Amino acid sequence: IFQKTSSSNQDVNFRNKTSVTFNRDYPTYLTLSPKNQLLLKKSQEILARIKDNCRKLNISTKWDYEDNFSKPRLLLVKPEHHIMYGSNPKTGSTSFKKFLFILDGDYKTANPHLPHGHYKIVRGTNFFRNKEHFDGYVKILSIRNPITRLLSAFRNKQLRKFWYIKEEVASKMTESEQFARVVRKRLTKPHIADVHLMPQWQQMDICSFPYDVVMQFEEASQYISLVQHLTNTTHVEFPGSRTEKGKDTHDTMYYANQYFGALTPEEKAIVYKQYEMDFKVLGYTRYEEEGFPYLSFQDSVKTQNEIYETDNPS
């Protein structure tokens, strides 16, 4: 996959004549393991499929360096490691923020709620107008099934912090009743201001922004390894998720069945209407479909078995 062109440039060629160039000013990755090569190719195929979905929906996929007014809601940049991360809420963004803190050697106080002083937040358009400088970054995005992302927002913001329903009211309701109320009251508004509930495709400018790597949250641990190799940060341990730390005792399907599965058909229709474009653009399966919560076009990319077999030859 990689072709070395000079000490400061790496050219990466993919299927469908897709080409991404990562410029580097220091020696970095020269080879990837077979597993990471497959993951990188898989990520590029998913990106190509997303772009194709956007075009079918008549959404522009063009991004202009010189005159762009469209960009992800929040980009976190680590210049010394050439990382540009699109911070998409409820897709592992807290762990990634901690990772950026740790890269600065601030392991003990790696708190994502502190002011963003350890990495640059991109605002305005001037940063993008230097194409050579911009292309030198590995531009990373994490995506997630809209339903499990909604469930994560509900569990974190409501069950732990009572953002949406006051505690004295919520105490008289079951958790499933609280979730149904959040769906009815929060997802029927014409404009959702809460970034944790807002559809991903638009707030992260998925159709037009030139991301290099898209990580599926559902397979996050594998993609983290790939990203660390691409950004020469394998010397740092990536922070574990709540599940990996044992704080979440149930899996995704348990919560999907408990909360989303308990909704009425009318309430489910509200969710599907609000996140209709996320499903269409990203290609995720719905709760009732086989393969939930994974992408619906898994058969067009390398399967988990193929990745495992490549990394563990007999």
Side-chain angles (χ1 to χ4, degrees):
I1 289 182
F2 292 103
Q3 297 178 343
K4 184 178 179 182
T5 57
S6 71
S7 61
S8 61
N9 293 276
Q10 300 290 340
D11 291 337
V12 189
N13 296 310
F14 306 97
R15 281 180 50 183
N16 303 323
K17 300 182 180 180
T18 301
S19 179
V20 177
T21 301
F22 303 127
N23 299 316
R24 291 288 182 270
D25 58 5
Y26 57 85
T28 181
Y29 57 88
L30 298 178
T31 60
L32 288 178
S33 68
K35 176 180 178 179
N36 279 330
Q37 288 184 31
L38 283 176
L39 282 170
L40 182 57
K41 184 176 181 180
K42 178 177 180 178
S43 173
Q44 290 297 311
E45 290 186 7
I46 292 170
L47 274 170
R49 185 67 174 265
I50 288 173
K51 298 290 185 182
D52 186 53
N53 288 341
C54 292
R55 285 187 286 269
K56 290 177 180 177
L57 294 165
N58 295 318
I59 303 172
S60 174
T61 58
K62 183 179 179 181
W63 198 82
D64 194 329
Y65 291 91
E66 296 296 327
D67 185 25
N68 88 87
F69 296 95
S70 179
K71 66 179 185 299
R73 56 166 288 273
L74 180 61
L75 283 172
L76 306 180
V77 176
K78 203 76 172 63
E80 55 269 48
H81 293 286
H82 299 266
I83 295 172
M84 184 179 292
Y85 174 67
S87 185
N88 184 13
K90 308 314 300 177
T91 65
S93 60
T94 296
S95 293
F96 212 98
K97 290 175 187 176
K98 289 182 179 180
F99 172 60
L100 296 179
F101 274 101
I102 294 170
L103 285 176
D104 278 335
D106 192 9
Y107 178 80
K108 292 183 179 179
T109 59
N111 185 341
H113 302 293
L114 292 174
H116 301 296
H118 286 243
Y119 38 79
K120 182 176 181 179
I121 300 177
V122 175
R123 302 191 190 283
T125 59
N126 289 335
F127 183 88
F128 302 116
R129 288 176 177 164
N130 185 332
K131 184 178 185 300
E132 183 177 354
H133 176 70
F134 179 78
D135 284 343
Y137 285 85
V138 181
K139 295 168 282 294
I140 305 160
L141 174 70
S142 180
I143 60 174
R144 186 174 187 175
N145 188 294
I147 292 175
T148 62
R149 180 171 174 265
L150 171 64
L151 292 170
S152 177
F154 165 72
R155 294 181 61 242
N156 178 253
K157 304 305 178 186
Q158 174 56 33
L159 297 186
R160 300 188 188 114
K161 302 177 181 179
F162 301 102
W163 274 27
Y164 307 129
I165 306 171
K166 293 182 179 180
E167 185 173 3
E168 56 268 28
V169 177
S171 64
K172 301 175 183 178
M173 306 169 66
T174 66
E175 292 181 357
S176 296
E177 289 172 339
Q178 292 179 58
F179 181 66
R181 179 164 175 170
V182 169
V183 167
R184 294 193 305 270
K185 298 295 185 180
R186 296 282 175 164
L187 299 189
T188 54
K189 294 183 178 181
H191 175 71
I192 296 179
D194 185 346
V195 296
H196 304 91
L197 302 180
M198 197 181 297
Q200 301 166 77
W201 77 276
Q202 193 168 30
Q203 70 169 321
M204 299 312 300
D205 194 20
I206 290 174
C207 286
S208 62
F209 192 78
Y211 292 106
D212 297 314
V213 178
V214 59
M215 303 189 297
Q216 299 176 69
F217 176 86
E218 294 78 14
E219 302 171 5
S221 61
Q222 296 188 63
Y223 281 95
I224 289 301
S225 172
L226 168 63
V227 166
Q228 289 197 265
H229 277 85
L230 291 178
T231 57
N232 198 30
T233 57
T234 54
H235 61 287
V236 173
E237 183 178 356
F238 196 89
S241 66
R242 288 183 58 86
T243 299
E244 291 167 334
K245 293 179 179 179
K247 292 183 179 180
D248 284 343
T249 56
H250 298 291
D251 62 14
T252 297
M253 286 307 301
Y254 174 88
Y255 294 117
N257 292 334
Q258 182 180 1
Y259 303 130
F260 189 84
L263 294 178
T264 66
E266 292 76 16
E267 290 164 342
K268 289 179 181 177
I270 292 173
V271 175
Y272 286 133
K273 181 179 180 180
Q274 182 59 241
Y275 298 110
E276 178 182 11
M277 292 299 291
D278 268 3
F279 283 106
K280 289 183 176 180
V281 169
L282 303 180
Y284 271 106
T285 49
R286 299 191 176 207
Y287 174 74
E288 299 81 8
E289 296 176 340
E290 182 180 358
F292 174 84
Y294 296 94
L295 293 170
S296 61
F297 49 84
Q298 287 283 5
D299 57 344
S300 69
V301 297
K302 292 291 182 180
T303 65
Q304 290 299 299
N305 286 338
E306 289 175 297
I307 291 173
Y308 176 82
E309 290 167 1
T310 301
D311 204 43
N312 299 273
S314 57

